[in-house]
Amino acid sequence: VVLLGEASHGTHEFYRQRAVITKRLIEEKGFTAVAVEADWPDAYRVNRYVKGANDDADSEAALGGFRRFPTWMWRNADVLDFVGWLRAHNEGARDPAGFYGLDLYSLYRSIDAVVSYLDQIDPSAAEEARRRYSCFDSFEESQDYGYAVFAGLSDSCRAGVYEQLRQLVESGEGYLRRDGIAAEDEQFHAEENARVVVAAEEYYRSMFSSPDSSWNLRDSHMAGTLERLVAHLRRYGSGKTVVWAHNSHIGDARQTAMSERGEHNLGQLVRARLDGRAALVGFTTYDGTVSAASNWSAPVERKRVRPALAGSVENLFHEAGQGVGKPDFWLPFTAGTPLARALEQPMLERAIGVIYRPESERISHYFNARPAAQFDAVIHFDRTRAVEPLEPTGQWQAGEPPETYPTAI
């Protein structure tokens, strides 16, 4: 498994370079899957498209499932290009490469996917699934369910979703013996959606009852999904998988301030489970622009990324690159070298998610980390630009005024 990070969810260079590396891993090293920080049903629609298994007319249509905030994270020009390449590659490939999601936010969409699957192969089981999942029917949003259970206004749906997952897994072999009505990939897809429902139910309850554990629940789910995906793919081929996710999920949490809060992450769990068969690659930038929102569910904006703070790893990379005339570079961390030893010391590191608040940047976007232990390598782009959304807003097209506005001095 090769895990490719990003220091923000809205930087063109990060998406572009991950695509370049991933293409080479697929073409030259036999990788057959891309697993991304996205919801399973939305990514699986892309998976069907790149394998020529659905009716989407083009790559943009295949990305149509990504409608949950932040839409620009996957509905952007760089992902569009990569999905088009993957479709073209697979048309002549002996082992076509797939596209999968690792996240757990798709409670209702995953419920719909499970029921739709059962409607096709076992209508009576579909009715049972509807009955079990009807526990969520009175809530418009997943967070509403979590709050209602926390406040004692509703019973938990936990027993029903676990029972539905158990029933689906136990019935799976029987479904697959029915004259090929259900392919193994589709059964796997349905089971993963049922697991998403189980994980999402617990996640949304934990947001109110135990918010400190919600991060661990999410990353544990992503690690489990990745592990099952690799095992599933190895039945047909190599199982080699590329992961695209934020640095905060990819870098080993044991080497950051996250561990002090009792948090673990995907990179840490993969390192522990694969024992040397995983590569963790981080991405950093010094300044430029980024696609991000000012608040949750707010429109995407093209924001100016402030120069990295003194004492940060990004500032160190900036000064080093300027000193040798190479602002962009690849930096592997070979154990025991002077460089690795120096970067195993705690330093400030920047993380921009879907929200960027430059006015409180130090407290909102910096944390302590030991980069050479956190990652196996880092790719640094000194000045970066915002990824282009497929539906740019007026705020994004206008961008932020320069720091010198209105005097232009």
Short mmCIF file of all heavy atoms in Angstrom, two decimals, residues 53-112:
data_model
loop_
_atom_site.label_atom_id
_atom_site.label_comp_id
_atom_site.label_asym_id
_atom_site.label_seq_id
_atom_site.Cartn_x
_atom_site.Cartn_y
_atom_site.Cartn_z
N ALA A 53 -18.84 -0.20 -16.45
CA ALA A 53 -19.95 -1.00 -15.93
C ALA A 53 -21.18 -0.19 -15.56
O ALA A 53 -22.06 -0.70 -14.87
CB ALA A 53 -19.47 -1.80 -14.72
N ASN A 54 -21.25 1.07 -15.98
CA ASN A 54 -22.49 1.83 -15.75
C ASN A 54 -22.78 2.73 -16.95
O ASN A 54 -22.05 2.71 -17.94
CB ASN A 54 -22.43 2.63 -14.44
CG ASN A 54 -21.44 3.79 -14.47
OD1 ASN A 54 -20.85 4.10 -15.51
ND2 ASN A 54 -21.25 4.44 -13.34
N ASP A 55 -23.82 3.51 -16.85
CA ASP A 55 -24.29 4.29 -18.00
C ASP A 55 -23.83 5.74 -17.99
O ASP A 55 -24.33 6.54 -18.80
CB ASP A 55 -25.82 4.25 -18.07
CG ASP A 55 -26.35 2.85 -18.31
OD1 ASP A 55 -25.66 2.08 -19.00
OD2 ASP A 55 -27.44 2.53 -17.79
N ASP A 56 -22.95 6.12 -17.09
CA ASP A 56 -22.46 7.50 -17.09
C ASP A 56 -21.78 7.81 -18.41
O ASP A 56 -20.94 7.04 -18.90
CB ASP A 56 -21.49 7.73 -15.93
CG ASP A 56 -22.21 7.86 -14.59
OD1 ASP A 56 -23.29 8.47 -14.57
OD2 ASP A 56 -21.69 7.37 -13.58
N ALA A 57 -22.12 8.96 -18.98
CA ALA A 57 -21.64 9.30 -20.31
C ALA A 57 -20.17 9.69 -20.33
O ALA A 57 -19.49 9.49 -21.33
CB ALA A 57 -22.49 10.44 -20.90
N ASP A 58 -19.69 10.28 -19.24
CA ASP A 58 -18.31 10.75 -19.21
C ASP A 58 -17.84 10.85 -17.76
O ASP A 58 -18.58 10.54 -16.82
CB ASP A 58 -18.16 12.09 -19.93
CG ASP A 58 -19.14 13.15 -19.41
OD1 ASP A 58 -19.50 13.11 -18.21
OD2 ASP A 58 -19.53 14.03 -20.20
N SER A 59 -16.60 11.30 -17.59
CA SER A 59 -16.00 11.37 -16.26
C SER A 59 -16.73 12.34 -15.35
O SER A 59 -16.89 12.08 -14.15
CB SER A 59 -14.53 11.78 -16.37
OG SER A 59 -13.80 10.85 -17.14
N GLU A 60 -17.19 13.45 -15.90
CA GLU A 60 -17.90 14.41 -15.06
C GLU A 60 -19.20 13.81 -14.53
O GLU A 60 -19.55 14.00 -13.36
CB GLU A 60 -18.18 15.70 -15.83
CG GLU A 60 -18.83 16.76 -14.96
CD GLU A 60 -18.90 18.12 -15.62
OE1 GLU A 60 -18.40 18.28 -16.75
OE2 GLU A 60 -19.46 19.04 -14.98
N ALA A 61 -19.90 13.08 -15.37
CA ALA A 61 -21.13 12.43 -14.91
C ALA A 61 -20.82 11.40 -13.83
O ALA A 61 -21.56 11.26 -12.85
CB ALA A 61 -21.85 11.79 -16.08
N ALA A 62 -19.71 10.68 -14.00
CA ALA A 62 -19.33 9.65 -13.03
C ALA A 62 -19.03 10.24 -11.66
O ALA A 62 -19.21 9.58 -10.63
CB ALA A 62 -18.13 8.87 -13.53
N LEU A 63 -18.59 11.50 -11.64
CA LEU A 63 -18.31 12.20 -10.38
C LEU A 63 -19.57 12.83 -9.79
O LEU A 63 -19.49 13.53 -8.78
CB LEU A 63 -17.24 13.27 -10.59
CG LEU A 63 -15.83 12.76 -10.93
CD1 LEU A 63 -14.94 13.91 -11.39
CD2 LEU A 63 -15.21 12.06 -9.74
N GLY A 64 -20.72 12.56 -10.39
CA GLY A 64 -21.95 13.21 -9.98
C GLY A 64 -22.43 12.83 -8.60
O GLY A 64 -23.28 13.52 -8.02
N GLY A 65 -21.92 11.73 -8.03
CA GLY A 65 -22.33 11.34 -6.69
C GLY A 65 -21.76 12.21 -5.60
O GLY A 65 -22.29 12.24 -4.48
N PHE A 66 -20.71 12.94 -5.91
CA PHE A 66 -20.05 13.75 -4.89
C PHE A 66 -20.78 15.09 -4.75
O PHE A 66 -20.36 16.11 -5.29
CB PHE A 66 -18.57 13.98 -5.25
CG PHE A 66 -17.76 12.71 -5.23
CD1 PHE A 66 -17.37 12.10 -6.41
CD2 PHE A 66 -17.39 12.14 -4.03
CE1 PHE A 66 -16.62 10.94 -6.40
CE2 PHE A 66 -16.64 10.97 -4.00
CZ PHE A 66 -16.25 10.37 -5.19
N ARG A 67 -21.86 15.07 -3.98
CA ARG A 67 -22.68 16.27 -3.79
C ARG A 67 -22.66 16.76 -2.35
O ARG A 67 -23.20 17.82 -2.05
CB ARG A 67 -24.12 15.97 -4.21
CG ARG A 67 -24.27 15.76 -5.71
CD ARG A 67 -23.88 17.01 -6.49
NE ARG A 67 -23.95 16.83 -7.94
CZ ARG A 67 -23.57 17.77 -8.81
NH1 ARG A 67 -23.10 18.92 -8.36
NH2 ARG A 67 -23.67 17.55 -10.10
N ARG A 68 -22.05 15.99 -1.47
CA ARG A 68 -21.96 16.41 -0.07
C ARG A 68 -20.79 17.38 0.09
O ARG A 68 -19.74 17.21 -0.52
CB ARG A 68 -21.75 15.18 0.83
CG ARG A 68 -21.58 15.49 2.31
CD ARG A 68 -21.33 14.23 3.12
NE ARG A 68 -20.12 13.52 2.75
CZ ARG A 68 -18.90 13.88 3.15
NH1 ARG A 68 -18.72 14.95 3.91
NH2 ARG A 68 -17.85 13.17 2.78
N PHE A 69 -20.96 18.40 0.93
CA PHE A 69 -19.87 19.32 1.25
C PHE A 69 -18.68 18.50 1.78
O PHE A 69 -18.87 17.61 2.61
CB PHE A 69 -20.34 20.32 2.31
CG PHE A 69 -19.28 21.26 2.79
CD1 PHE A 69 -19.07 22.47 2.15
CD2 PHE A 69 -18.51 20.96 3.91
CE1 PHE A 69 -18.09 23.35 2.61
CE2 PHE A 69 -17.54 21.84 4.36
CZ PHE A 69 -17.33 23.03 3.71
N PRO A 70 -17.47 18.77 1.28
CA PRO A 70 -17.04 19.76 0.28
C PRO A 70 -16.98 19.14 -1.12
O PRO A 70 -16.16 18.28 -1.39
CB PRO A 70 -15.63 20.10 0.77
CG PRO A 70 -15.13 18.81 1.37
CD PRO A 70 -16.32 18.10 1.94
N THR A 71 -17.83 19.60 -2.01
CA THR A 71 -17.91 19.00 -3.34
C THR A 71 -16.60 19.15 -4.12
O THR A 71 -16.26 18.27 -4.93
CB THR A 71 -19.05 19.64 -4.14
OG1 THR A 71 -18.87 21.06 -4.18
CG2 THR A 71 -20.39 19.32 -3.49
N TRP A 72 -15.86 20.25 -3.91
CA TRP A 72 -14.66 20.49 -4.70
C TRP A 72 -13.54 19.50 -4.38
O TRP A 72 -12.58 19.37 -5.13
CB TRP A 72 -14.15 21.92 -4.50
CG TRP A 72 -13.59 22.17 -3.13
CD1 TRP A 72 -12.28 22.02 -2.73
CD2 TRP A 72 -14.31 22.62 -1.98
NE1 TRP A 72 -12.15 22.34 -1.40
CE2 TRP A 72 -13.38 22.72 -0.91
CE3 TRP A 72 -15.63 22.97 -1.74
CZ2 TRP A 72 -13.74 23.14 0.36
CZ3 TRP A 72 -16.00 23.39 -0.47
CH2 TRP A 72 -15.07 23.47 0.57
N MET A 73 -13.66 18.80 -3.27
CA MET A 73 -12.60 17.87 -2.87
C MET A 73 -12.42 16.76 -3.90
O MET A 73 -11.30 16.30 -4.15
CB MET A 73 -12.94 17.29 -1.50
CG MET A 73 -11.85 16.45 -0.89
SD MET A 73 -12.30 16.06 0.81
CE MET A 73 -11.19 14.69 1.12
N TRP A 74 -13.52 16.31 -4.53
CA TRP A 74 -13.43 15.29 -5.57
C TRP A 74 -14.01 15.75 -6.90
O TRP A 74 -13.64 15.21 -7.94
CB TRP A 74 -14.12 14.00 -5.09
CG TRP A 74 -13.44 13.49 -3.86
CD1 TRP A 74 -13.94 13.44 -2.59
CD2 TRP A 74 -12.08 13.02 -3.77
NE1 TRP A 74 -12.99 12.96 -1.72
CE2 TRP A 74 -11.84 12.70 -2.41
CE3 TRP A 74 -11.05 12.84 -4.69
CZ2 TRP A 74 -10.61 12.22 -1.96
CZ3 TRP A 74 -9.83 12.36 -4.25
CH2 TRP A 74 -9.62 12.05 -2.90
N ARG A 75 -14.89 16.72 -6.89
CA ARG A 75 -15.39 17.28 -8.15
C ARG A 75 -14.51 18.47 -8.52
O ARG A 75 -14.88 19.63 -8.35
CB ARG A 75 -16.86 17.70 -8.01
CG ARG A 75 -17.82 16.51 -8.01
CD ARG A 75 -19.27 16.96 -8.04
NE ARG A 75 -19.59 17.79 -9.20
CZ ARG A 75 -19.81 17.32 -10.43
NH1 ARG A 75 -19.73 16.02 -10.67
NH2 ARG A 75 -20.11 18.15 -11.41
N ASN A 76 -13.31 18.15 -9.02
CA ASN A 76 -12.39 19.20 -9.46
C ASN A 76 -11.68 18.75 -10.74
O ASN A 76 -11.78 17.59 -11.15
CB ASN A 76 -11.39 19.56 -8.36
CG ASN A 76 -10.46 18.41 -7.98
OD1 ASN A 76 -9.70 17.91 -8.80
ND2 ASN A 76 -10.53 17.99 -6.71
N ALA A 77 -10.99 19.69 -11.38
CA ALA A 77 -10.43 19.43 -12.70
C ALA A 77 -9.37 18.34 -12.67
O ALA A 77 -9.26 17.54 -13.63
CB ALA A 77 -9.83 20.73 -13.26
N ASP A 78 -8.58 18.25 -11.61
CA ASP A 78 -7.52 17.25 -11.56
C ASP A 78 -8.07 15.84 -11.39
O ASP A 78 -7.58 14.90 -12.02
CB ASP A 78 -6.56 17.58 -10.41
CG ASP A 78 -5.78 18.86 -10.67
OD1 ASP A 78 -5.01 18.89 -11.65
OD2 ASP A 78 -5.96 19.83 -9.93
N VAL A 79 -9.09 15.68 -10.55
CA VAL A 79 -9.71 14.36 -10.39
C VAL A 79 -10.43 13.98 -11.68
O VAL A 79 -10.40 12.82 -12.11
CB VAL A 79 -10.68 14.34 -9.19
CG1 VAL A 79 -11.43 13.02 -9.13
CG2 VAL A 79 -9.91 14.58 -7.89
N LEU A 80 -11.07 14.95 -12.33
CA LEU A 80 -11.74 14.70 -13.61
C LEU A 80 -10.76 14.13 -14.62
O LEU A 80 -11.05 13.13 -15.30
CB LEU A 80 -12.35 16.00 -14.13
CG LEU A 80 -13.14 15.91 -15.43
CD1 LEU A 80 -14.46 15.19 -15.20
CD2 LEU A 80 -13.40 17.31 -16.00
N ASP A 81 -9.59 14.73 -14.74
CA ASP A 81 -8.57 14.24 -15.68
C ASP A 81 -8.11 12.83 -15.31
O ASP A 81 -7.94 11.98 -16.19
CB ASP A 81 -7.37 15.19 -15.70
CG ASP A 81 -7.67 16.50 -16.38
OD1 ASP A 81 -8.70 16.60 -17.06
OD2 ASP A 81 -6.88 17.45 -16.21
N PHE A 82 -7.92 12.58 -14.02
CA PHE A 82 -7.44 11.27 -13.60
C PHE A 82 -8.48 10.19 -13.88
O PHE A 82 -8.14 9.09 -14.34
CB PHE A 82 -7.06 11.28 -12.12
CG PHE A 82 -6.63 9.93 -11.61
CD1 PHE A 82 -5.39 9.42 -11.96
CD2 PHE A 82 -7.48 9.16 -10.83
CE1 PHE A 82 -5.00 8.16 -11.52
CE2 PHE A 82 -7.10 7.91 -10.39
CZ PHE A 82 -5.85 7.40 -10.73
N VAL A 83 -9.73 10.48 -13.60
CA VAL A 83 -10.78 9.49 -13.85
C VAL A 83 -10.87 9.18 -15.34
O VAL A 83 -11.03 8.01 -15.73
CB VAL A 83 -12.14 9.99 -13.30
CG1 VAL A 83 -13.29 9.10 -13.76
CG2 VAL A 83 -12.10 10.04 -11.78
N GLY A 84 -10.74 10.20 -16.19
CA GLY A 84 -10.72 9.96 -17.62
C GLY A 84 -9.56 9.08 -18.03
O GLY A 84 -9.71 8.17 -18.87
N TRP A 85 -8.38 9.34 -17.45
CA TRP A 85 -7.21 8.50 -17.75
C TRP A 85 -7.45 7.06 -17.31
O TRP A 85 -7.13 6.11 -18.04
CB TRP A 85 -5.97 9.05 -17.05
CG TRP A 85 -4.76 8.18 -17.25
CD1 TRP A 85 -3.87 8.24 -18.29
CD2 TRP A 85 -4.35 7.07 -16.44
NE1 TRP A 85 -2.93 7.24 -18.15
CE2 TRP A 85 -3.20 6.51 -17.03
CE3 TRP A 85 -4.85 6.50 -15.27
CZ2 TRP A 85 -2.54 5.41 -16.49
CZ3 TRP A 85 -4.19 5.39 -14.72
CH2 TRP A 85 -3.05 4.86 -15.33
N LEU A 86 -8.02 6.88 -16.12
CA LEU A 86 -8.24 5.54 -15.58
C LEU A 86 -9.20 4.75 -16.47
O LEU A 86 -9.00 3.55 -16.72
CB LEU A 86 -8.77 5.64 -14.15
CG LEU A 86 -8.70 4.40 -13.27
CD1 LEU A 86 -7.27 3.88 -13.18
CD2 LEU A 86 -9.23 4.72 -11.87
N ARG A 87 -10.24 5.41 -16.96
CA ARG A 87 -11.19 4.74 -17.87
C ARG A 87 -10.46 4.29 -19.14
O ARG A 87 -10.62 3.14 -19.60
CB ARG A 87 -12.33 5.70 -18.21
CG ARG A 87 -13.26 5.25 -19.33
CD ARG A 87 -14.14 4.07 -18.96
NE ARG A 87 -15.03 3.72 -20.07
CZ ARG A 87 -16.34 3.90 -20.07
NH1 ARG A 87 -16.94 4.44 -19.02
NH2 ARG A 87 -17.07 3.55 -21.11
N ALA A 88 -9.64 5.18 -19.72
CA ALA A 88 -8.92 4.84 -20.94
C ALA A 88 -7.90 3.72 -20.69
O ALA A 88 -7.75 2.80 -21.51
CB ALA A 88 -8.23 6.08 -21.50
N HIS A 89 -7.21 3.79 -19.57
CA HIS A 89 -6.23 2.74 -19.22
C HIS A 89 -6.91 1.38 -19.10
O HIS A 89 -6.41 0.37 -19.62
CB HIS A 89 -5.54 3.09 -17.92
CG HIS A 89 -4.78 1.94 -17.31
ND1 HIS A 89 -3.52 1.58 -17.71
CD2 HIS A 89 -5.16 1.03 -16.34
CE1 HIS A 89 -3.13 0.51 -17.02
NE2 HIS A 89 -4.10 0.17 -16.18
N ASN A 90 -8.04 1.34 -18.45
CA ASN A 90 -8.71 0.07 -18.19
C ASN A 90 -9.24 -0.60 -19.44
O ASN A 90 -9.40 -1.82 -19.48
CB ASN A 90 -9.87 0.27 -17.20
CG ASN A 90 -9.38 0.44 -15.77
OD1 ASN A 90 -8.23 0.13 -15.43
ND2 ASN A 90 -10.25 0.95 -14.92
N GLU A 91 -9.51 0.19 -20.48
CA GLU A 91 -10.06 -0.39 -21.71
C GLU A 91 -9.11 -1.39 -22.35
O GLU A 91 -9.54 -2.34 -23.00
CB GLU A 91 -10.41 0.72 -22.70
CG GLU A 91 -11.65 1.53 -22.28
CD GLU A 91 -11.94 2.69 -23.21
OE1 GLU A 91 -11.11 2.94 -24.12
OE2 GLU A 91 -12.99 3.34 -23.03
N GLY A 92 -7.82 -1.20 -22.13
CA GLY A 92 -6.86 -2.14 -22.70
C GLY A 92 -6.06 -2.89 -21.65
O GLY A 92 -5.05 -3.53 -21.99
N ALA A 93 -6.47 -2.83 -20.39
CA ALA A 93 -5.68 -3.42 -19.32
C ALA A 93 -6.10 -4.85 -19.03
O ALA A 93 -7.30 -5.17 -19.03
CB ALA A 93 -5.81 -2.58 -18.05
N ARG A 94 -5.13 -5.68 -18.75
CA ARG A 94 -5.42 -7.05 -18.33
C ARG A 94 -6.05 -7.07 -16.94
O ARG A 94 -6.97 -7.85 -16.67
CB ARG A 94 -4.13 -7.88 -18.35
CG ARG A 94 -4.32 -9.31 -17.90
CD ARG A 94 -3.00 -10.07 -17.96
NE ARG A 94 -3.16 -11.43 -17.46
CZ ARG A 94 -2.15 -12.30 -17.37
NH1 ARG A 94 -0.92 -11.94 -17.75
NH2 ARG A 94 -2.37 -13.51 -16.92
N ASP A 95 -5.53 -6.23 -16.05
CA ASP A 95 -6.06 -6.11 -14.69
C ASP A 95 -6.53 -4.67 -14.48
O ASP A 95 -5.74 -3.81 -14.08
CB ASP A 95 -4.99 -6.46 -13.65
CG ASP A 95 -4.52 -7.90 -13.77
OD1 ASP A 95 -5.40 -8.78 -13.85
OD2 ASP A 95 -3.30 -8.14 -13.77
N PRO A 96 -7.79 -4.38 -14.76
CA PRO A 96 -8.27 -3.00 -14.63
C PRO A 96 -8.17 -2.50 -13.19
O PRO A 96 -8.35 -3.27 -12.24
CB PRO A 96 -9.73 -3.09 -15.09
CG PRO A 96 -10.09 -4.52 -14.94
CD PRO A 96 -8.84 -5.30 -15.19
N ALA A 97 -7.88 -1.23 -13.06
CA ALA A 97 -7.74 -0.61 -11.73
C ALA A 97 -9.05 0.03 -11.31
O ALA A 97 -9.74 0.65 -12.12
CB ALA A 97 -6.62 0.43 -11.76
N GLY A 98 -9.38 -0.10 -10.03
CA GLY A 98 -10.64 0.43 -9.52
C GLY A 98 -10.47 1.67 -8.69
O GLY A 98 -9.35 2.11 -8.39
N PHE A 99 -11.58 2.26 -8.29
CA PHE A 99 -11.62 3.51 -7.54
C PHE A 99 -12.62 3.33 -6.40
O PHE A 99 -13.79 3.04 -6.64
CB PHE A 99 -12.06 4.65 -8.47
CG PHE A 99 -11.89 6.03 -7.91
CD1 PHE A 99 -10.72 6.75 -8.12
CD2 PHE A 99 -12.91 6.64 -7.19
CE1 PHE A 99 -10.57 8.03 -7.62
CE2 PHE A 99 -12.78 7.92 -6.68
CZ PHE A 99 -11.59 8.62 -6.91
N TYR A 100 -12.16 3.49 -5.15
CA TYR A 100 -12.98 3.15 -3.99
C TYR A 100 -12.90 4.24 -2.93
O TYR A 100 -11.94 4.99 -2.85
CB TYR A 100 -12.50 1.82 -3.39
CG TYR A 100 -12.45 0.68 -4.38
CD1 TYR A 100 -11.29 0.43 -5.12
CD2 TYR A 100 -13.55 -0.13 -4.60
CE1 TYR A 100 -11.23 -0.61 -6.04
CE2 TYR A 100 -13.51 -1.17 -5.51
CZ TYR A 100 -12.35 -1.41 -6.24
OH TYR A 100 -12.31 -2.43 -7.15
N GLY A 101 -13.93 4.29 -2.07
CA GLY A 101 -13.96 5.25 -0.98
C GLY A 101 -13.75 4.57 0.37
O GLY A 101 -14.13 3.41 0.55
N LEU A 102 -13.18 5.30 1.31
CA LEU A 102 -12.87 4.75 2.62
C LEU A 102 -13.69 5.34 3.75
O LEU A 102 -13.64 4.84 4.88
CB LEU A 102 -11.38 4.97 2.94
CG LEU A 102 -10.36 4.35 2.01
CD1 LEU A 102 -8.93 4.75 2.44
CD2 LEU A 102 -10.47 2.83 2.01
N ASP A 103 -14.46 6.39 3.49
CA ASP A 103 -15.05 7.18 4.57
C ASP A 103 -16.42 6.66 5.00
O ASP A 103 -16.95 5.71 4.42
CB ASP A 103 -15.12 8.66 4.17
CG ASP A 103 -14.57 9.57 5.26
OD1 ASP A 103 -14.74 9.25 6.45
OD2 ASP A 103 -13.98 10.62 4.92
N LEU A 104 -17.02 7.33 6.01
CA LEU A 104 -18.22 6.78 6.64
C LEU A 104 -19.38 7.77 6.75
O LEU A 104 -20.34 7.52 7.48
CB LEU A 104 -17.88 6.25 8.05
CG LEU A 104 -17.11 7.14 9.04
CD1 LEU A 104 -17.76 8.45 9.35
CD2 LEU A 104 -16.91 6.35 10.33
N TYR A 105 -19.36 8.87 6.03
CA TYR A 105 -20.40 9.88 6.19
C TYR A 105 -21.70 9.55 5.46
O TYR A 105 -22.70 10.24 5.64
CB TYR A 105 -19.89 11.23 5.69
CG TYR A 105 -18.78 11.83 6.54
CD1 TYR A 105 -17.53 12.08 6.01
CD2 TYR A 105 -19.00 12.15 7.87
CE1 TYR A 105 -16.52 12.64 6.78
CE2 TYR A 105 -18.01 12.70 8.65
CZ TYR A 105 -16.76 12.95 8.09
OH TYR A 105 -15.76 13.49 8.87
N SER A 106 -21.71 8.52 4.63
CA SER A 106 -22.83 8.29 3.71
C SER A 106 -23.91 7.40 4.32
O SER A 106 -24.35 6.42 3.70
CB SER A 106 -22.32 7.66 2.41
OG SER A 106 -21.64 6.43 2.69
N LEU A 107 -24.38 7.72 5.51
CA LEU A 107 -25.36 6.88 6.19
C LEU A 107 -26.56 6.58 5.30
O LEU A 107 -26.90 5.41 5.04
CB LEU A 107 -25.81 7.56 7.49
CG LEU A 107 -26.93 6.87 8.26
CD1 LEU A 107 -26.48 5.50 8.75
CD2 LEU A 107 -27.38 7.73 9.44
N TYR A 108 -27.26 7.60 4.82
CA TYR A 108 -28.49 7.38 4.06
C TYR A 108 -28.24 6.84 2.66
O TYR A 108 -29.01 6.01 2.16
CB TYR A 108 -29.31 8.68 4.01
CG TYR A 108 -29.87 9.06 5.36
CD1 TYR A 108 -29.35 10.14 6.07
CD2 TYR A 108 -30.90 8.34 5.95
CE1 TYR A 108 -29.85 10.49 7.32
CE2 TYR A 108 -31.41 8.68 7.19
CZ TYR A 108 -30.87 9.75 7.88
OH TYR A 108 -31.37 10.08 9.11
N ARG A 109 -27.17 7.29 2.02
CA ARG A 109 -26.87 6.77 0.68
C ARG A 109 -26.47 5.30 0.74
O ARG A 109 -26.78 4.51 -0.15
CB ARG A 109 -25.79 7.62 0.00
CG ARG A 109 -26.23 9.05 -0.23
CD ARG A 109 -25.33 9.80 -1.18
NE ARG A 109 -23.93 9.78 -0.81
CZ ARG A 109 -23.40 10.50 0.19
NH1 ARG A 109 -24.18 11.26 0.95
NH2 ARG A 109 -22.11 10.46 0.44
N SER A 110 -25.77 4.92 1.80
CA SER A 110 -25.39 3.51 1.95
C SER A 110 -26.60 2.65 2.28
O SER A 110 -26.70 1.50 1.83
CB SER A 110 -24.31 3.38 3.03
OG SER A 110 -23.07 3.89 2.57
N ILE A 111 -27.53 3.18 3.07
CA ILE A 111 -28.79 2.46 3.31
C ILE A 111 -29.50 2.20 1.98
O ILE A 111 -29.95 1.08 1.70
CB ILE A 111 -29.68 3.26 4.27
CG1 ILE A 111 -29.14 3.17 5.70
CG2 ILE A 111 -31.12 2.75 4.22
CD1 ILE A 111 -29.88 4.04 6.69
N ASP A 112 -29.63 3.23 1.16
CA ASP A 112 -30.28 3.08 -0.14
C ASP A 112 -29.59 2.03 -1.00
O ASP A 112 -30.25 1.24 -1.71
CB ASP A 112 -30.30 4.42 -0.88
CG ASP A 112 -31.25 5.43 -0.26
OD1 ASP A 112 -32.12 5.01 0.54
OD2 ASP A 112 -31.11 6.63 -0.55
#
